[in-house]
Amino acid sequence: MIEIADLHRWFGSVHAVRGVGFEIPAGQVVGLLGPNGAGKTTTLRMLTGIIRPQKGSIRIAGVDAIAEPTKSRRGFGYLPESAPSYPEMSVSGFLRYRSQVLGVPRGSRKSQIAKAMEECQLGSVAKRRIGQLSKGYRQRVALASALLHDPKVLILDEPTNGLDPTQIREARSLIGDLAQDRTVLVSSHILPEIERTCERVIIIGAGKVLADGTPDELCRQNTGGGCIAECKGHGAKISTTLAELFPGTEVSTTPLEGGWWRVEVRTSDANDPCEQVGAALGSARIQIRQLRPTVAGLEDVFVRVLDESAGAEA
Ligand code: ATP
């Protein structure tokens, strides 16, 4: 549904997007995750035809978005990072105006506006001026205006930016509903945002795709290189035993109840050290009640891929 390849964009000497490429099949909900300045907005602005890439290709719903931007725009709805506001217009007046701009056929405008208002739960504020609404409601109006031509693809740039915690929860739930029968690409620098809403995560840093997969896949790929054991004995003895047997590893011990210790071993390579650690503890006659590989969370993955990329650039 969305296919982009080798996208590049410079702003003067700043190489903001450096060969970004990915494909999103129909129906998938994908999060574009990256720190501030990573190139998320620039990528989305190229996708939506607001700025042109200097290199690369973009197809949305089968349309070449660089060669035919007007045709391509009919295929998606876009929520920009800072949604344009028309404070003097009423919600319904604004949506009427937007439906004309988007070229929604006259005969279906009324029903499309009603459908978008219902999806974004705007019925109660239809006659209110946009300038009088809370930020959360203004965001819903912007979202409704992106739905008026009934697009099957939604591109959302930082949709919860500036909202309070209640509004964020509501916005997330709304996006979840909208994603039921659409392909969605949503950008954010807030990890829980992406973790809760998206089935696939593309991590972008310094203008490049650094990781791409389901949260589970990314966590599994970044797991290994460590294990956690629960052992009985003296923390210091356990620590010394392991450090002697595995030079180069980091061992930390935390006391638990009844003489048990939580022992975390981090090796310098990415292999799962459980078997060797288990054998070493066994031969030192240290009792073990649990032993498992360290499983990375998405936050660990995020930090790790950004660190690796910064290390590679240095
Ligand atoms: P944020 O989460 O802060 O919005 P982002 O990941 O969306 O960050 P971009 O806004 O795409 O990042 O910016 C990527 C880089 O390109 C940054 O270094 C930014 O300063 C630069 N940049 C973006 N737009 C312009 C512009 N119009 N002129 C000059 N530099 C720009």
Side-chain angles (χ1 to χ4, degrees), residues 11-12 14-17 34-43 45 51 81 157-158 161 187-189 204:
F11 295 105
V14 177
H15 196 176
V17 172
N36 292 123
K40 305 180 294 294
T41 296
T42 306
T43 300
R45 294 180 82 211
I51 55 173
E81 193 175 20
D157 195 0
E158 307 260 4
N161 216 2
S187 88
S188 181
H189 60 274
I204 178 168

Side-chain angles (χ1 to χ4, degrees), residues 57-70:
S57 61
I58 306 171
R59 291 185 82 79
I60 301 179
V63 179
D64 182 331
I66 300 172
E68 298 186 273
T70 311

